mmCIF file of all heavy atoms in Angstrom:
data_model
loop_
_atom_site.group_PDB
_atom_site.id
_atom_site.type_symbol
_atom_site.label_atom_id
_atom_site.label_comp_id
_atom_site.label_asym_id
_atom_site.label_seq_id
_atom_site.Cartn_x
_atom_site.Cartn_y
_atom_site.Cartn_z
ATOM 1 N N ASN B 310 -38.083 8.828 -16.806
ATOM 2 C CA ASN B 310 -38.863 8.601 -18.029
ATOM 3 C C ASN B 310 -38.654 7.236 -18.674
ATOM 4 O O ASN B 310 -38.279 7.148 -19.844
ATOM 5 C CB ASN B 310 -38.519 9.663 -19.075
ATOM 6 C CG ASN B 310 -38.864 11.051 -18.612
ATOM 7 O OD1 ASN B 310 -39.866 11.235 -17.927
ATOM 8 N ND2 ASN B 310 -38.046 12.022 -18.962
ATOM 9 N N PRO B 311 -38.874 6.156 -17.939
ATOM 10 C CA PRO B 311 -38.650 4.845 -18.556
ATOM 11 C C PRO B 311 -39.639 4.580 -19.687
ATOM 12 O O PRO B 311 -40.764 5.072 -19.669
ATOM 13 C CB PRO B 311 -38.888 3.882 -17.404
ATOM 14 C CG PRO B 311 -39.827 4.598 -16.493
ATOM 15 C CD PRO B 311 -39.435 6.048 -16.581
ATOM 16 N N THR B 312 -39.184 3.806 -20.660
ATOM 17 C CA THR B 312 -40.052 3.351 -21.742
ATOM 18 C C THR B 312 -39.864 1.842 -21.857
ATOM 19 O O THR B 312 -39.118 1.232 -21.087
ATOM 20 C CB THR B 312 -39.663 3.999 -23.083
ATOM 21 O OG1 THR B 312 -38.364 3.505 -23.460
ATOM 22 C CG2 THR B 312 -39.619 5.516 -22.983
ATOM 23 N N LEU B 313 -40.506 1.254 -22.839
ATOM 24 C CA LEU B 313 -40.326 -0.178 -23.095
ATOM 25 C C LEU B 313 -38.872 -0.512 -23.389
ATOM 26 O O LEU B 313 -38.411 -1.621 -23.126
ATOM 27 C CB LEU B 313 -41.179 -0.610 -24.288
ATOM 28 C CG LEU B 313 -42.665 -0.761 -24.013
ATOM 29 C CD1 LEU B 313 -43.386 -0.974 -25.326
ATOM 30 C CD2 LEU B 313 -42.911 -1.918 -23.053
ATOM 31 N N ASN B 314 -38.133 0.454 -23.961
ATOM 32 C CA ASN B 314 -36.707 0.250 -24.222
ATOM 33 C C ASN B 314 -35.978 -0.203 -22.978
ATOM 34 O O ASN B 314 -35.079 -1.035 -23.043
ATOM 35 C CB ASN B 314 -36.052 1.572 -24.653
ATOM 36 C CG ASN B 314 -36.263 1.848 -26.118
ATOM 37 O OD1 ASN B 314 -36.442 0.916 -26.888
ATOM 38 N ND2 ASN B 314 -36.265 3.110 -26.476
ATOM 39 N N ASP B 315 -36.324 0.414 -21.832
ATOM 40 C CA ASP B 315 -35.612 0.122 -20.597
ATOM 41 C C ASP B 315 -35.879 -1.304 -20.149
ATOM 42 O O ASP B 315 -34.962 -2.022 -19.749
ATOM 43 C CB ASP B 315 -36.031 1.118 -19.514
ATOM 44 C CG ASP B 315 -35.662 2.537 -19.912
ATOM 45 O OD1 ASP B 315 -36.273 3.080 -20.845
ATOM 46 O OD2 ASP B 315 -34.740 3.071 -19.310
ATOM 47 N N THR B 316 -37.145 -1.721 -20.190
ATOM 48 C CA THR B 316 -37.476 -3.082 -19.773
ATOM 49 C C THR B 316 -36.794 -4.090 -20.696
ATOM 50 O O THR B 316 -36.212 -5.077 -20.242
ATOM 51 C CB THR B 316 -39.006 -3.295 -19.793
ATOM 52 O OG1 THR B 316 -39.617 -2.156 -19.193
ATOM 53 C CG2 THR B 316 -39.393 -4.536 -19.028
ATOM 54 N N ALA B 317 -36.855 -3.823 -22.001
ATOM 55 C CA ALA B 317 -36.200 -4.729 -22.948
ATOM 56 C C ALA B 317 -34.699 -4.736 -22.712
ATOM 57 O O ALA B 317 -34.048 -5.787 -22.774
ATOM 58 C CB ALA B 317 -36.509 -4.304 -24.390
ATOM 59 N N TYR B 318 -34.118 -3.571 -22.387
ATOM 60 C CA TYR B 318 -32.680 -3.528 -22.130
ATOM 61 C C TYR B 318 -32.310 -4.352 -20.901
ATOM 62 O O TYR B 318 -31.266 -5.023 -20.890
ATOM 63 C CB TYR B 318 -32.137 -2.100 -21.982
ATOM 64 C CG TYR B 318 -30.704 -2.203 -21.551
ATOM 65 C CD1 TYR B 318 -29.736 -2.679 -22.438
ATOM 66 C CD2 TYR B 318 -30.323 -1.982 -20.229
ATOM 67 C CE1 TYR B 318 -28.437 -2.898 -22.036
ATOM 68 C CE2 TYR B 318 -29.020 -2.200 -19.810
ATOM 69 C CZ TYR B 318 -28.084 -2.662 -20.721
ATOM 70 O OH TYR B 318 -26.808 -2.907 -20.313
ATOM 71 N N GLY B 319 -33.159 -4.315 -19.860
ATOM 72 C CA GLY B 319 -32.876 -5.112 -18.662
ATOM 73 C C GLY B 319 -32.751 -6.590 -18.997
ATOM 74 O O GLY B 319 -31.853 -7.288 -18.514
ATOM 75 N N VAL B 320 -33.648 -7.074 -19.851
ATOM 76 C CA VAL B 320 -33.593 -8.469 -20.294
ATOM 77 C C VAL B 320 -32.292 -8.712 -21.075
ATOM 78 O O VAL B 320 -31.594 -9.710 -20.867
ATOM 79 C CB VAL B 320 -34.828 -8.807 -21.168
ATOM 80 C CG1 VAL B 320 -34.718 -10.201 -21.760
ATOM 81 C CG2 VAL B 320 -36.113 -8.658 -20.353
ATOM 82 N N LEU B 321 -31.965 -7.756 -21.922
ATOM 83 C CA LEU B 321 -30.747 -7.870 -22.737
ATOM 84 C C LEU B 321 -29.495 -7.890 -21.858
ATOM 85 O O LEU B 321 -28.551 -8.654 -22.110
ATOM 86 C CB LEU B 321 -30.701 -6.682 -23.701
ATOM 87 C CG LEU B 321 -29.626 -6.672 -24.770
ATOM 88 C CD1 LEU B 321 -29.738 -7.895 -25.665
ATOM 89 C CD2 LEU B 321 -29.738 -5.396 -25.620
ATOM 90 N N ASN B 322 -29.473 -7.054 -20.814
ATOM 91 C CA ASN B 322 -28.312 -7.031 -19.920
ATOM 92 C C ASN B 322 -28.142 -8.383 -19.212
ATOM 93 O O ASN B 322 -27.024 -8.874 -19.058
ATOM 94 C CB ASN B 322 -28.428 -5.900 -18.895
ATOM 95 C CG ASN B 322 -27.131 -5.712 -18.116
ATOM 96 O OD1 ASN B 322 -26.080 -5.474 -18.688
ATOM 97 N ND2 ASN B 322 -27.194 -5.860 -16.800
ATOM 98 N N ASP B 323 -29.259 -8.990 -18.797
ATOM 99 C CA ASP B 323 -29.190 -10.327 -18.178
ATOM 100 C C ASP B 323 -28.603 -11.339 -19.169
ATOM 101 O O ASP B 323 -27.749 -12.163 -18.823
ATOM 102 C CB ASP B 323 -30.587 -10.789 -17.754
ATOM 103 C CG ASP B 323 -31.049 -10.126 -16.459
ATOM 104 O OD1 ASP B 323 -30.203 -9.557 -15.744
ATOM 105 O OD2 ASP B 323 -32.259 -10.200 -16.169
ATOM 106 N N LEU B 324 -29.107 -11.258 -20.376
ATOM 107 C CA LEU B 324 -28.669 -12.159 -21.442
ATOM 108 C C LEU B 324 -27.161 -11.987 -21.704
ATOM 109 O O LEU B 324 -26.418 -12.972 -21.822
ATOM 110 C CB LEU B 324 -29.492 -11.739 -22.650
ATOM 111 C CG LEU B 324 -29.734 -12.555 -23.861
ATOM 112 C CD1 LEU B 324 -31.104 -12.166 -24.421
ATOM 113 C CD2 LEU B 324 -28.688 -12.272 -24.892
ATOM 114 N N LEU B 325 -26.692 -10.741 -21.744
ATOM 115 C CA LEU B 325 -25.265 -10.471 -21.966
ATOM 116 C C LEU B 325 -24.428 -10.914 -20.768
ATOM 117 O O LEU B 325 -23.294 -11.369 -20.932
ATOM 118 C CB LEU B 325 -25.050 -8.973 -22.225
ATOM 119 C CG LEU B 325 -25.513 -8.470 -23.592
ATOM 120 C CD1 LEU B 325 -25.635 -6.939 -23.596
ATOM 121 C CD2 LEU B 325 -24.552 -8.916 -24.683
ATOM 122 N N THR B 326 -24.980 -10.772 -19.561
ATOM 123 C CA THR B 326 -24.277 -11.220 -18.347
ATOM 124 C C THR B 326 -24.003 -12.712 -18.434
ATOM 125 O O THR B 326 -22.884 -13.182 -18.180
ATOM 126 C CB THR B 326 -25.132 -10.919 -17.098
ATOM 127 O OG1 THR B 326 -25.351 -9.512 -17.016
ATOM 128 C CG2 THR B 326 -24.445 -11.402 -15.825
ATOM 129 N N ILE B 327 -25.024 -13.464 -18.812
ATOM 130 C CA ILE B 327 -24.878 -14.921 -18.913
ATOM 131 C C ILE B 327 -23.906 -15.282 -20.036
ATOM 132 O O ILE B 327 -23.030 -16.136 -19.869
ATOM 133 C CB ILE B 327 -26.259 -15.587 -19.111
ATOM 134 C CG1 ILE B 327 -27.087 -15.412 -17.842
ATOM 135 C CG2 ILE B 327 -26.111 -17.052 -19.484
ATOM 136 C CD1 ILE B 327 -28.544 -15.797 -17.970
ATOM 137 N N ALA B 328 -24.039 -14.583 -21.167
ATOM 138 C CA ALA B 328 -23.137 -14.864 -22.288
ATOM 139 C C ALA B 328 -21.679 -14.603 -21.893
ATOM 140 O O ALA B 328 -20.786 -15.391 -22.212
ATOM 141 C CB ALA B 328 -23.519 -13.994 -23.492
ATOM 142 N N MET B 329 -21.456 -13.517 -21.153
ATOM 143 C CA MET B 329 -20.100 -13.143 -20.727
ATOM 144 C C MET B 329 -19.543 -14.183 -19.753
ATOM 145 O O MET B 329 -18.385 -14.586 -19.856
ATOM 146 C CB MET B 329 -20.159 -11.779 -20.046
ATOM 147 C CG MET B 329 -18.918 -10.951 -20.193
ATOM 148 S SD MET B 329 -19.218 -9.278 -19.568
ATOM 149 C CE MET B 329 -19.468 -9.608 -17.810
ATOM 150 N N GLU B 330 -20.388 -14.620 -18.810
ATOM 151 C CA GLU B 330 -19.938 -15.617 -17.829
ATOM 152 C C GLU B 330 -19.666 -16.962 -18.478
ATOM 153 O O GLU B 330 -18.856 -17.744 -17.988
ATOM 154 C CB GLU B 330 -20.987 -15.789 -16.721
ATOM 155 C CG GLU B 330 -21.087 -14.598 -15.797
ATOM 156 C CD GLU B 330 -22.222 -14.734 -14.785
ATOM 157 O OE1 GLU B 330 -23.051 -15.668 -14.919
ATOM 158 O OE2 GLU B 330 -22.280 -13.910 -13.875
#
Side-chain angles (χ1 to χ4, degrees):
Chain B
N310 298 324
T312 67
L313 284 171
N314 278 334
D315 298 69
T316 315
Y318 173 70
V320 174
L321 188 59
N322 190 58
D323 282 344
L324 199 150
L325 287 164
T326 299
I327 293 170
M329 210 171 66
E330 289 175 350

